Amino acid sequence: MTQLALVIDLNVCVGCHACVTSCKEWNTSGWAGPLVDQNPYEGSPTGTFFNRVQTFEIGTFPNTETVHFPKSCLHCEEPPCVPVCPTGASYKRPDNGVVLVDYDKCIGCKYCSWACPYGARELDAQQKVMKKCTLCIDRITDAKLSERDRKPSCVLACPANARLFGDVHDPDSEVSIAIRERGGYQLMPEWGTKPANHYLPRRKTRMHIDPEELTRVDNPWRKEDLTDYTGEETLDDVAW
């Protein structure tokens, strides 16, 4: 069975949010839309997003790193959101493995959001239905588009090519080769949901920092040598 999925390279994701905005644009006007925003320019903006990028600082100064972590529905092969749905609104397509929500059946009970260990489901506050990433199902199945364009909008928008898309069950696909050769991994596999989306790990980098480089050479305190202040006049003592 075909299992379509995303493979995200954490080593080259720069956190530009192009994937977030392109996802919002496409899906707001597409099959899964609209994706509403409430008070987008106020102090507490809320809204519905299929894809978010979380940014973390890890390590201890000066050996710190910034990690950008895109996250959306992982289109699990054993999706826990499907069996808990009381109306059958959550389902997995048998032809390509994409997990979707039928808005005509969804009653907004949130059972699926409680069952999902990845927090991928969001309640649309206006339509009162649960929404999530569809892998741009209306786009990837549109035979009128060229093969190049039959990809999720986030993949096409990524300027760093951090996102790959394809069939993870095909051993010769680009995504399967990347997972196999570059150590791709699933998020929280201990839950047994078999997420179809994978992440490519950040490569270890070594950076040598000279301790003297951590001190400002133009530090005015250092110029006046106030570290060993002996009572002489300094710039702070001058009356202008």
Side-chain angles (χ1 to χ4, degrees):
M1 169 183 148
T2 299
Q3 177 60 64
L4 299 178
L6 297 173
V7 173
I8 300 172
D9 189 347
L10 298 179
N11 197 59
V12 296
C13 176
V14 295
C16 67
H17 286 68
C19 56
V20 178
T21 55
S22 65
C23 168
K24 187 85 169 184
E25 188 277 335
W26 175 265
N27 288 294
T28 290
S29 56
W31 176 83
L35 304 184
V36 300
D37 284 312
Q38 294 88 34
N39 305 315
Y41 304 108
E42 303 296 331
S44 300
T46 58
T48 304
F49 288 82
F50 288 171
N51 177 54
R52 297 178 185 271
V53 178
Q54 299 171 335
T55 298
F56 305 91
E57 289 291 333
I58 60 174
T60 303
F61 179 82
N63 299 312
T64 58
E65 294 180 72
T66 301
V67 177
H68 305 290
F69 196 88
K71 200 175 76 173
S72 59
C73 172
L74 303 170
H75 298 280
C76 302
E77 298 194 41
E78 301 292 341
C81 56
V82 171
V84 301
C85 180
T87 66
S90 291
Y91 66 101
K92 188 174 180 66
R93 282 182 58 138
D95 58 337
N96 55 27
V98 178
V99 178
L100 297 173
V101 180
D102 185 340
Y103 298 162
D104 290 333
K105 296 180 179 178
C106 182
I107 57 176
C109 67
K110 299 184 181 179
Y111 278 6
C112 56
S113 65
W114 297 334
C116 174
Y118 308 106
R121 298 248 176 169
E122 298 187 10
L123 175 67
D124 186 300
Q126 289 188 356
Q127 291 185 288
K128 307 298 183 186
V129 296
M130 303 304 294
K131 293 187 175 179
K132 56 176 279 303
C133 165
T134 67
L135 278 183
C136 292
I137 191 69
D138 51 342
R139 182 170 195 142
I140 63 177
T141 58
D142 187 350
K144 296 190 295 295
L145 296 177
S146 66
E147 183 176 355
R148 177 198 174 279
D149 290 330
R150 289 203 296 271
K151 295 179 180 177
S153 59
C154 60
V155 175
L156 295 173
C158 181
N161 293 322
R163 289 170 171 259
L164 306 176
F165 170 70
D167 180 9
V168 292
H169 283 183
D170 177 1
D172 298 322
S173 68
E174 181 183 24
V175 288
S176 291
I177 293 173
I179 293 170
R180 186 168 60 247
E181 296 185 352
R182 298 166 64 186
Y185 64 91
Q186 298 169 313
L187 193 63
M188 298 193 294
E190 64 272 20
W191 286 95
T193 63
K194 300 180 180 177
N197 285 8
H198 285 65
Y199 292 89
L200 302 181
R202 291 166 59 86
R203 291 188 288 273
K204 292 293 184 182
T205 57
R206 298 288 183 185
M207 181 175 62
H208 174 72
I209 300 178
D210 191 317
E212 293 187 358
E213 296 177 353
L214 300 176
T215 304
R216 284 181 54 181
V217 296
D218 60 342
N219 186 341
W221 290 87
R222 187 177 183 182
K223 285 184 178 178
E224 297 178 45
D225 195 21
L226 296 181
T227 54
D228 296 320
Y229 180 61
T230 56
E232 66 273 19
E233 185 180 70
T234 70
L235 288 176
D236 291 335
D237 299 322
V238 176
W240 299 93

